[in-house]
Amino acid sequence: MPIPRATKGVLLVAFVATFSALAVATALSRLPKRELAAPEAWAALERHDPERAASLFSKELTERPRDPILHFGAGSAAYAMGRTKSALSSLKTAVDLDPDFVEALTLLGQVAYERGDSALAIRSIEKASDLHPRDGQLKELLGRWRRESSVHSSYLEKPAEHFQILYEGGAQQNIGDRVARVLETEYWRIGKALNSYPSEPLSVILYTNREFHDITRSPSWATGNYDGRIRIAVGGALPSSRELDRIVTHELAHAIVATIAPRRVPAWLNEGLAVYFEGSDRSWAPEVLRNASTIVPLENLARGFSGLDEQEALVAYAESATAAEILCAQVGPNIGSFLQSVGNGRSVDDALLDFQVQPNAFHAEWRRRVGVR
Ligand SMILES: [Zn+2]
């Protein structure tokens, strides 16, 4: 039975709310042509309420354990909550039950990639692309992941206790050693501050500058990136050792924040904490703010800085660092629990109240420090 028109709309919006740009585009072009069970669960996903969606999908699955769309829904809800292990398992089941289920294959590829399983990621997208050979985005993604995989396979792996570090070897030997030392030290320092010590090894890749920008497609001003893996540009014009330490520490902070709260952390909070944990001198921030022509409200800095030019990004980092400094002072040793609350869906203001901080006081102090009257 075809999906009723109204329900199709719900499914579409759920895709938009939940998935990567690629999966959204894929879903827009082809919806599963079959009966859609558990419409309330899809509606919950649409409302950004994946906890409710997960519980409804799970209930429905007890009645219809062999419905691939329900497993796909359960996988989508788990993914939206940042529970990638559980998402992977649901999506594998969806694909086992229906090997031609392109949307499930696409999301399975995405989740496998985020979990560091490049082989499964590439296999899943290959299959999806075979089923829809005219989909340019699938092709583009597949090409990018294959290139990345071939670059990584030419790298050496440096053993470290909590990390898997890939690097070029040769001339990069010293850099690899230094990065490994910094990572281990900072793992304990940031872990202690956030009361969280990731148990699964974190993946770290040290690239040449060209490979870094080719693979991450980061803005030209960026030298580090965290997207489930810590990626750092170390080749070409080498950063000074202190600058390298700073970048490594910054990206590690993102990785530890992501293990506490994989979703829903606004970019200003994420970036602010990463700058805060860099631990180096932050006197540049007030200076940047004094000279800034515009101060962007924090709520407009929730979605990431990659669209900003270098100057705008500098101001955004300074604003975020100021916010993080105030938060860390006001929330104190509970900053890890505070992040967990935000990751569980509490707004920043509600989470502040949970820790006896008045949101108004936080925002007023931030406005005062960044120079907004
Ligand atoms: Zn960052």
Side-chain angles (χ1 to χ4, degrees):
M1 192 178 99
I3 299 167
R5 218 181 158 72
T7 323
K8 260 188 183 177
V10 168
L11 182 53
L12 270 186
V13 184
F15 269 113
V16 174
T18 316
F19 291 6
S20 69
L22 170 89
V24 173
T26 314
L28 286 170
S29 58
R30 309 176 292 273
L31 276 167
K33 302 286 187 293
R34 47 199 134 187
E35 187 180 352
L36 188 67
E40 279 178 41
W42 291 103
L45 264 187
E46 180 195 6
R47 291 194 309 271
H48 300 277
D49 187 356
E51 286 80 6
R52 173 86 183 132
S55 118
L56 290 167
F57 281 126
S58 147
K59 198 165 142 228
E60 194 71 25
L61 273 166
T62 57
E63 307 284 319
R64 309 167 62 160
R66 295 192 57 78
D67 183 332
I69 293 200
L70 287 176
H71 287 285
F72 173 59
S76 307
Y79 181 62
M81 287 186 281
R83 297 189 188 147
T84 54
K85 197 170 177 179
S86 149
L88 197 72
S89 144
S90 295
L91 292 164
K92 278 181 176 167
T93 309
V95 168
D96 285 345
L97 290 166
D98 179 355
D100 293 345
F101 190 169
V102 171
E103 290 75 13
L105 282 164
T106 306
L107 188 58
L108 175 61
Q110 186 73 37
V111 175
Y113 180 80
E114 280 184 29
R115 291 187 54 80
D117 188 345
S118 297
L120 175 60
I122 290 174
R123 268 203 316 280
S124 306
I125 299 299
E126 269 168 357
K127 182 81 200 290
S129 184
D130 284 349
L131 289 162
H132 290 279
R134 295 224 292 237
D135 188 317
Q137 278 182 298
L138 284 175
K139 268 205 175 61
E140 194 271 336
L141 183 71
L142 189 56
R144 196 148 48 82
W145 285 357
R146 280 177 175 156
R147 273 198 305 285
E148 177 181 326
S149 178
S150 112
V151 168
H152 292 182
S153 66
S154 70
Y155 281 9
L156 298 179
E157 189 178 331
K158 172 175 272 306
E161 200 179 343
H162 300 99
F163 302 91
Q164 268 172 341
I165 306 173
L166 291 180
Y167 71 122
E168 246 190 337
Q172 281 189 11
Q173 185 73 47
N174 289 340
I175 297 176
D177 290 345
R178 183 176 184 106
V179 169
R181 272 199 312 276
V182 172
L183 284 169
E184 284 299 336
T185 311
E186 297 298 326
Y187 173 91
W188 293 108
R189 184 181 67 93
I190 302 173
K192 186 172 178 207
L194 292 177
N195 196 22
S196 171
Y197 304 91
S199 51
E200 289 188 42
L202 299 168
S203 173
V204 180
I205 307 138
L206 311 181
Y207 294 102
T208 65
N209 281 7
R210 196 180 56 77
E211 279 164 348
F212 173 79
H213 288 285
D214 187 31
I215 286 169
T216 63
R217 296 185 302 174
S218 298
S220 58
W221 46 263
T223 43
N225 186 27
Y226 175 75
D227 60 1
R229 296 164 181 80
I230 294 173
R231 304 178 197 262
I232 295 167
V234 298
L238 273 181
S240 70
S241 299
R242 275 175 65 183
E243 178 65 1
L244 179 63
D245 295 354
R246 183 188 71 74
I247 297 165
V248 169
T249 308
H250 179 106
E251 301 306 332
L252 174 62
H254 282 315
I256 298 182
V257 166
T259 58
I260 300 170
R263 300 282 188 270
R264 294 164 168 156
V265 177
W268 64 261
L269 177 55
N270 212 333
E271 293 303 340
L273 286 172
V275 173
Y276 179 81
F277 285 118
E278 284 172 13
S280 51
D281 177 19
R282 281 190 300 276
S283 57
W284 58 270
E287 170 100 18
V288 164
L289 292 168
R290 260 195 309 279
N291 296 324
S293 50
T294 338
I295 299 292
V296 180
L298 282 184
E299 59 266 29
N300 295 358
L301 292 177
R303 289 185 163 269
F305 301 171
S306 59
L308 306 178
D309 68 28
E310 190 162 2
Q311 192 51 41
E312 292 166 340
L314 197 59
V315 177
Y317 280 107
E319 292 186 37
S320 305
T322 308
E325 228 173 74
I326 300 168
L327 271 178
C328 288
Q330 294 185 342
V331 180
N334 293 320
I335 193 76
S337 314
F338 165 82
L339 268 179
Q340 202 169 26
S341 292
V342 173
N344 286 338
R346 300 283 280 164
S347 69
V348 167
D349 285 2
D350 286 346
L352 281 173
L353 282 172
D354 294 345
F355 293 95
Q356 284 77 50
V357 175
Q358 288 302 319
N360 285 344
F362 163 71
H363 292 290
E365 176 65 3
W366 181 79
R367 281 195 299 273
R368 188 185 71 74
R369 298 256 297 264
V370 299
V372 175
R373 278 164 294 276

